[in-house]
Amino acid sequence: MSALSPTTAGFLIVGMLLLLLATGMPIAFALGLAAIAGLLVANGVGVFEVLAETMFAGIGNLAYVSIPMFVLMGAAVAATPAGKDLYEALDRWLNRVPGGLVLSNIGACAIFAGMTGSSPATCAAIGKMGIPEMLKRGYPASVATGSICAGGTLGILIPPSVTMIVYGIATETSIGRLFLAGVMPGLMLTAMFMAWALVDCKRKGFRFDDKGNRFTFGQKLAALPRVTPFIIIIVGTLYVLYGGVATPSEAAGAGAFLTLGVVIIMYRLFRPKPIIDIFSSTMRESIMIMMIMASAELFAFALSSLFITQTVASTIASLEVNRWVLMGIINVFLLVAGMFLPPVAIIVMSAPLLFPIVVSSGFDPYWFAVILTINMEIGLITPPVGLNLFVVNAIAPQVPTTQVLWGSLPYVIAMIIGIIILCIFPEIVTWLPDQVMGPAM
């Protein structure tokens, strides 16, 4: 047993993790090495006998089969011009609305997020068309890039969401109910993003009087056939899931099969290479997620072996503060963690620690899942590891990084306001799941 106190051991392990991450080491390996170091301190060389078993326990759950299936759905859509078709369809229908182009950008991000469940893929797919078009029509560069950065974050909130699946398995809560819990907050944030984008445009002197690019009703209708099948697949997958027809894994498998079939037929992907590329992309992302989850499980085991988890939990539980103060502390922790670590790693590491505290404090676990996810969204557009910022910077190198950052910052504030609104009105989260699936037990 280690002679170090849990507090000292905790600082050493977390410090080592941050040091490894600072070297640019992949998150899965950094977590694994920091965990092994902690376990060696706690249990000596005998720990190597349980490493493989502990890591496998982190991913040895049949429900995780749904993750590569939803990733396959996203990869199939992202590998085709589906994002371009979606963007063009919304642009045609919202063309006469003041600020319709920026609304099209954010709306396309929200819908594409539901099709892929991936924030980077959403940023890349919609941003490649949306940012150049907005700049061409005179929209401020910070508005063009900031709206895409923020819109892309919706990928982990609007169902189907890999993040929600991981949370559901880690906390043994209903994945179907979690998906439903994310719908209304996702729509709320989409509306808030749209409202701010319009305000920001006017504030920066942009006039919504574009006279070009008018479309006839026939042209608007012509844009729908390439978008409608994907919307039907999303609705159908969710119906199969919520209608009790299939389990989340089965629904994900059916959705992946249908999506792959649709993209092959619609975009004539009859040659082997595009199909191989889709499966290769799916394999890479799925393995990355699973590696992070396995390493995070090992890291959590190390924290527990050194009594760090128990010490932190008992310290938080012993705080004689109002439960909302406690929730504020948890939010600050999640915000800071989200700036450095990917959502999957944070959930796997923190859920076993935070979930009992949250539930014992009287908070709804599904409501907390949404709060946690929005915090993860904020991390995607805040330095130093704001993934969406790097994606947008790569697809729009002509826009200075400072403008991308300043354009994204107001959306961070919007999401914080969104968290406050959900704290005041938790029914925004719980109403739809209760209506569809009945009150949670």
Side-chain angles (χ1 to χ4, degrees), residues 68 93 110 142 168 190 202 207 226 311 317 332 338 343 367 370 393 414 416:
W93 282 93
S142 60
T190 302
K202 286 192 173 183
R207 297 181 59 191
R226 287 186 173 271
T311 301
V332 171
W367 171 86
V370 172
N393 192 249
I416 293 173

Side-chain angles (χ1 to χ4, degrees), residues 57-68:
I59 56 175
N61 189 317
L62 186 61
Y64 280 145
V65 173
S66 60
I67 292 179

Side-chain angles (χ1 to χ4, degrees), residues 182-325:
V183 173
M184 298 301 291
L187 295 176
M188 181 188 76
L189 284 182
T190 302
M192 292 174 68
F193 291 169
M194 288 180 170
W196 168 250
L198 295 180
V199 170
D200 198 25
C201 284
K202 286 192 173 183
R203 189 174 65 90
K204 293 177 178 175
F206 180 77
R207 297 181 59 191
F208 302 120
D209 56 359
D210 182 21
K211 300 298 183 184
N213 299 316
R214 297 301 188 196
F215 300 99
T216 65
F217 186 69
Q219 289 175 315
K220 292 179 180 180
L221 289 178
L224 294 181
R226 287 186 173 271
V227 177
T228 305
F230 295 108
I231 306 299
I232 293 174
I233 288 174
I234 295 173
V235 174
T237 301
L238 297 180
Y239 170 76
V240 167
L241 179 60
Y242 302 130
V245 178
T247 66
S249 298
E250 293 166 344
F257 177 78
L258 291 174
T259 302
L260 192 60
V262 167
V263 299
I264 290 173
I265 294 171
M266 283 182 56
Y267 298 105
R268 301 179 183 277
L269 304 181
F270 300 124
R271 292 180 295 109
K273 187 178 184 306
I275 309 300
I276 293 173
D277 288 343
I278 289 173
F279 279 100
S280 297
S281 174
T282 302
M283 184 76 74
R284 283 194 301 271
E285 187 170 347
S286 299
I287 289 175
M288 178 190 71
I289 293 172
M290 292 299 182
M291 281 293 295
I292 290 175
M293 292 168 63
S295 297
E297 179 73 17
L298 191 63
F299 190 80
F301 179 67
L303 296 181
S304 178
S305 296
L306 287 166
F307 295 96
I308 297 169
T309 303
Q310 298 90 323
T311 301
V312 173
S314 61
T315 301
I316 294 176
S318 65
L319 292 175
E320 296 183 2
V321 294
N322 182 280
R323 69 181 190 135
W324 289 107
V325 175

